[in-house]
Amino acid sequence: MAKVTFDNSNALAFAGVDAEMVKAADAAAELLYNGQGAGNDFIGWVNLPSSISAESLNDIKATAARLRSKADVVVVIGIGGSYLGAKAVYDALGNTFEALLPKHDNPTLVFAGNNINEDYLAEMMEALEGHSIAAIVISKSGTTTEPAIAFRVIKDTIEKRYGKAEAAERIVAVTDGARGVLKSLADTEGYKSYVIPDNVGGRFSVLTPVGLLPLAVAGVDIEALVAGAVEMEKATAANVPFEQNVAKQYAAARNALYRKGYKVEIFATYEPKLQYVAEWWKQLYGESEGKQGKGIFPASVVFSTDLHSMGQYIQDGERMLFETVVNVENPTRTMTLEATPDNVDKLNFLAGRRIGQINQMAQLGTMLAHVDGGVPNLKVSIPAIDAENLGALLYFYEAACGISGYILGVNPFDQPGVEAYKRNMFALLGKPGYEAEGEELRKRLEK
Ligand code: PA5
């Protein structure tokens, strides 16, 4: 059974959660669940896990099986919420050194359209040359520039290599049900397509085909992922009291810290495989809360690696940070350090210990050191990195994000700030309709 637990005992000395904050968390959860809060046209994710039917999972699995039978590399094209969830789960469940393994049971996923980098795209296209390829193109709006550019390149390659008819078998689109260029293109070309529900925003869409299709292609047990999320949907519902509701507790604890001046939250993990879960979390919280001149700045570190870089700042730098350690109770693999007869490296005191136990001591020691250094510590734990627990963790963060945003007093479901760069980029690129803005920006850049 999937389980997410939360502990704020190492933050209480800095900012306790008082009765007023408990009330605020309860009220925020109520708003989220009764659909009366700001942005309530984007809360379709709240009851999403429990509404996913066996039929729709089977349909996703059938499409995944088709792509798996045709390709050993599947290019997943998307940006922001249209790629981070799949990438997070894929990395967490995959073998970090898969490229070095002789045998690949599952197709490799590569991610494109999450930047506009010439070298990235050129190197990827070169690397795809010796492989049988397919593509999943994901864009809710169907108009986002980064994935559109990558898709144009990949579509062209697939069509030239396999012909138009076979390309339609190798390309799947995930997009809006009615609008957008990608929707019309998918219809014209005859691609199998999946709909991202209108009321589910990009960063809350990992449990729609946006995340589920690429993950099914990669061989992830999507039923288990959804089952974990369903458990957490029940465990974090508005009617679950604060004392038992980890989403309310986390949302309340981080807002209590924020009100005391702790304006940066560091997602700290001792599991390198969770690096992209941190990236997904940063997008979820950054886009949901960073608006109207407020919001906790989400940052992340992977320890112990970053104890040798960011560790100095966290221990001794400006005191506006708090850390949320994402703790995994049990490693998946077992590896023990052996004694050596000569003990030249003086490590025999660790002989017989599992590497995971040493990592655990690094985690506990760091937590105490950071608390002593003035950094409040929260802890979110899961028993292990598997599909079910990841599903639970993702949903936990989504639920807590909705609650936290309402406590903060913002609409957690819009992202008006991301438009500014797009307007400038279109103007500088000479997109029709942006002529006057383009002229003005060019004058500014010439100064
Ligand atoms: O959370 C969001 O809504 C955004 O991050 C989007 O996911 C991102 O901008 C990609 O948008 P789209 O899926 O429309 O291409």
Side-chain angles (χ1 to χ4, degrees):
M1 195 174 141
K3 204 169 164 210
V4 176
T5 53
F6 177 70
D7 175 10
N8 69 335
S9 54
N10 286 301
L12 292 175
F14 302 90
V17 174
D18 59 16
E20 192 204 327
M21 184 57 82
V22 171
K23 219 168 130 190
D26 280 333
E30 192 52 42
L31 266 189
L32 189 62
Y33 284 80
N34 68 19
Q36 302 295 309
N40 57 5
D41 43 347
F42 280 101
I43 53 170
W45 57 271
V46 173
N47 300 118
L48 176 74
S50 60
S51 66
I52 300 172
S53 65
E55 198 189 352
S56 63
L57 288 178
N58 285 338
D59 184 71
I60 289 171
K61 281 175 17 186
T63 303
R66 169 157 58 82
L67 297 182
R68 286 167 64 89
S69 73
K70 288 178 179 290
D72 64 292
V73 178
V74 176
V75 186
V76 181
I77 303 161
I79 195 165
S82 288
Y83 104 98
L84 282 164
K87 171 80 173 151
V89 177
Y90 180 65
D91 281 11
L93 295 179
N95 185 314
T96 309
F97 301 98
E98 195 183 326
L100 304 180
L101 296 175
K103 189 171 166 294
H104 297 254
D105 291 335
N106 296 302
T108 299
L109 301 188
V110 296
F111 293 86
N114 53 62
N115 58 54
I116 328 176
N117 191 273
E118 192 162 348
D119 290 346
Y120 184 98
L121 199 54
E123 286 175 8
M124 187 188 81
M125 296 316 292
E126 190 183 306
L128 292 178
E129 270 165 25
H131 293 276
S132 172
I133 58 172
I136 303 171
V137 54
I138 307 168
S139 175
K140 178 160 186 192
S141 62
T143 56
T144 308
T145 309
E146 289 90 337
I149 290 172
F151 184 53
R152 180 181 277 214
V153 173
I154 288 153
K155 175 178 183 287
D156 184 56
T157 298
I158 293 180
E159 285 177 355
K160 282 191 178 130
R161 220 197 266 188
Y162 304 104
K164 262 195 137 5
E166 176 61 12
E169 296 290 306
R170 287 175 181 256
I171 296 172
V172 178
V174 184
T175 188
D176 185 83
R179 295 174 298 268
V181 181
L182 183 56
K183 171 67 187 154
S184 21
L185 202 139
D187 290 347
T188 312
E189 303 284 0
Y191 302 152
K192 166 87 178 171
S193 57
Y194 287 94
V195 173
I196 308 170
D198 267 353
N199 59 0
V200 178
R203 59 190 174 275
F204 290 87
S205 69
V206 56
L207 296 165
T208 72
V210 168
L212 298 181
L213 178 62
L215 291 170
V217 169
V220 169
D221 182 348
I222 57 170
E223 268 111 356
L225 189 79
V226 171
V230 171
E231 281 182 49
M232 208 32 62
E233 181 188 323
K234 288 186 199 135
T236 59
N239 60 5
V240 177
F242 186 90
E243 299 69 34
Q244 289 141 40
N245 191 320
V246 283
K248 288 181 186 175
Q249 290 167 16
Y250 171 56
R254 62 198 299 281
N255 275 283
L257 288 162
Y258 179 64
R259 288 180 189 181
K260 285 270 170 81
Y262 296 97
K263 294 187 187 289
V264 177
E265 177 176 8
I266 304 173
F267 177 119
T269 177
Y270 289 74
E271 306 289 334
K273 278 171 182 282
L274 295 188
Q275 187 177 350
Y276 264 84
V277 174
E279 295 303 323
W280 172 86
W281 170 85
K282 284 194 280 194
Q283 191 223 356
L284 182 64
Y285 280 74
E287 273 193 351
S288 299
E289 295 194 320
K291 50 196 73 158
Q292 296 166 226
K294 8 187 207 184
I296 297 169
F297 183 84
S300 66
V301 289
V302 177
F303 288 158
S304 69
T305 314
D306 288 329
L307 287 172
H308 299 261
S309 64
M310 298 305 289
Q312 172 60 38
Y313 191 106
I314 297 169
Q315 188 69 47
D316 271 346
E318 193 173 344
R319 303 297 71 187
M320 78 308 194
L321 312 170
F322 69 97
E323 248 174 345
T324 300
V325 174
V326 179
N327 171 52
V328 177
E329 283 156 8
N330 301 295
T332 309
R333 311 284 280 256
T334 307
M335 199 171 174
T336 305
L337 207 64
E338 304 292 340
T340 59
D342 48 14
N343 194 25
V344 177
D345 56 11
K346 304 275 184 283
L347 281 182
N348 272 0
F349 76 101
L350 295 175
R353 302 238 198 142
R354 286 180 59 181
I355 304 292
Q357 291 169 333
I358 303 171
N359 201 27
Q360 193 64 24
M361 291 310 120
Q363 180 173 324
L364 292 173
T366 304
M367 184 270 290
L368 293 174
H370 287 179
V371 169
D372 289 346
V375 179
N377 259 244
L378 306 177
K379 185 157 87 172
V380 170
S381 297
I382 54 171
I385 301 179
D386 56 31
E388 201 176 346
N389 282 299
L390 284 174
L393 185 68
L394 297 177
Y395 187 86
F396 156 76
Y397 275 128
E398 290 181 353
C401 184
I403 297 169
S404 183
Y406 282 158
I407 297 176
L408 184 67
V410 298
N411 172 359
F413 308 116
D414 65 1
Q415 55 285 329
V418 301
E419 294 309 314
Y421 99 89
K422 291 184 191 168
R423 289 199 72 79
N424 285 356
M425 178 177 76
F426 291 148
L428 290 170
L429 286 169
K431 186 171 179 174
Y434 291 80
E435 292 78 4
E437 275 168 89
E439 204 170 313
E440 197 191 314
L441 290 177
R442 271 185 289 278
K443 274 190 202 143
R444 277 175 63 192
L445 290 171
E446 277 158 18
K447 270 185 199 159

